[in-house]
Amino acid sequence: MADGAHGLGILNGFYERKVALVLIDIQNKFAKSTENIDRSMTSKLDYINEVADEFRMTGNPVIRVLFDGESCHGEGIENPDDPVDGLKLADTDVIVHKAYMNSFRESDLEKAVKDLGCTGIVLAGMVAHYCVIATYYAAFDHGIVSYILKGGVASTDEETAACVERITKAVDLEDIRKNVNFQKRP
């Protein structure tokens, strides 16, 4: 990471920690709610898919969190609950349903993460300054260390997404590949 986070020890423990990739709300109801967020997610989707493929190829878990219910902007969106076009899915992905911004609140996310033997999560998805950041901070209350996928969170504007990355522990694919759990292919 170019921001010097490694020198500050911000990622201490990341390279040994078993982590799951958690994809938050990558659904039509959010992407199609405004042109800006749709553009933001579309521009990040190839990278998110590449990271998800890395998790899957190395036997590390991918969890998809789906928001049940209506979004505040979701009226008239065709297939609002469907994943965004282009998001790669796998039968091995764990699905968690939620009803709140914080993906841990009254959901099975904590159980899923811990049942998979993980002590950390890497978050990607929508919307950076709502559901993603709420989940990021809530993870610590559940004894789970969270990280943001740098370049993997969408927002209504890119500066907001960048701000979320700056104020959190953000990792990129290079960091993920240095984690001991990504050194072997099953």
Side-chain angles (χ1 to χ4, degrees):
M1 293 179 59
D3 64 4
H6 296 230
L8 298 174
I10 290 174
L11 296 183
N12 276 354
F14 176 79
Y15 299 108
E16 295 80 31
R17 183 177 309 284
K18 183 167 182 186
V19 293
L21 177 63
V22 177
L23 304 176
I24 299 176
D25 301 339
I26 305 180
Q27 297 167 266
N28 287 335
K29 67 175 77 178
F30 298 106
K32 303 299 182 195
S33 64
T34 70
E35 186 177 318
N36 289 347
I37 199 159
D38 188 30
R39 188 178 316 117
S40 180
M41 178 47 59
T42 300
S43 72
K44 295 166 172 36
L45 210 48
D46 286 343
Y47 182 60
I48 291 169
N49 284 332
E50 181 181 5
V51 171
D53 285 346
E54 188 74 18
F55 270 78
R56 293 174 185 124
M57 288 186 309
T58 56
N60 290 285
V62 174
I63 301 171
R64 291 181 44 232
V65 177
L66 305 176
F67 180 78
D68 294 333
E70 308 222 1
S71 81
C72 56
H73 303 288
E75 293 179 22
I77 294 173
E78 191 173 326
N79 303 313
D81 293 323
D82 285 358
V84 170
D85 287 341
L87 177 65
K88 289 184 184 177
L89 310 175
D91 291 339
T92 56
D93 294 352
V94 174
I95 306 294
V96 171
H97 293 271
K98 69 170 187 153
Y100 298 96
M101 271 193 224
N102 166 3
S103 298
F104 286 98
R105 183 177 172 190
E106 298 178 28
S107 80
D108 292 329
L109 183 56
E110 176 183 6
K111 181 179 179 348
V113 170
K114 291 181 176 178
D115 285 355
L116 291 164
C118 297
T119 60
I121 54 177
V122 177
L123 302 172
M126 299 186 289
V127 171
H129 54 291
Y130 291 125
C131 296
V132 175
I133 198 94
T135 303
Y136 173 87
Y137 286 113
F140 296 101
D141 293 335
H142 295 271
I144 297 167
V145 179
S146 58
Y147 307 88
I148 296 290
L149 178 62
K150 190 170 189 166
V153 292
S155 185
T156 51
D157 66 83
E158 292 308 313
E159 180 51 35
T160 300
C163 181
V164 167
E165 291 174 4
R166 283 194 303 271
I167 65 171
T168 60
K169 293 183 283 186
V171 296
D172 58 21
L173 186 53
E174 181 181 323
D175 294 314
I176 291 165
R177 286 179 174 149
K178 290 178 185 174
N179 180 296
V180 297
N181 297 293
F182 290 81
Q183 302 301 309
K184 296 182 246 172
R185 308 272 185 211

